[in-house]
Amino acid sequence: MSSNLWIRQAHRWLSIVFTAAVIANFVAMGLGEPPPWVVYAPLPPLFLLLFSGLYMFALPYAARWRGSKA
């Protein structure tokens, strides 16, 4: 599998993990004061989503830039 496909697949799975962490956060808040690890659980996948999303956002621009230089 190429690196672009791998990053796209990882981005999809990270979005599922992030969504589950946010839902768990809301459920925990509904039951009372949640522990800090539940509150901060969505942050690691969110940062990974940020980096993979920025990478995928920049891909078309980088391809156009490389294509026009040649």
Side-chain angles (χ1 to χ4, degrees):
M1 186 179 334
S2 75
S3 63
N4 288 344
L5 292 176
W6 187 86
I7 291 200
R8 288 183 186 279
Q9 190 67 27
H11 188 80
R12 289 184 190 122
W13 282 103
L14 282 169
S15 67
I16 293 170
V17 171
F18 174 73
T19 303
V22 169
I23 290 170
N25 201 343
F26 279 108
V27 168
M29 286 184 180
L31 297 175
E33 184 67 28
W37 67 271
V38 173
V39 174
Y40 297 118
L43 291 180
L46 180 62
F47 286 123
L48 293 172
L49 280 169
L50 170 72
F51 294 128
S52 62
L54 286 173
Y55 173 79
M56 289 189 300
F57 179 77
L59 278 177
Y61 298 106
R64 225 178 302 153
W65 178 71
R66 281 190 307 250
S68 65
K69 290 278 188 181

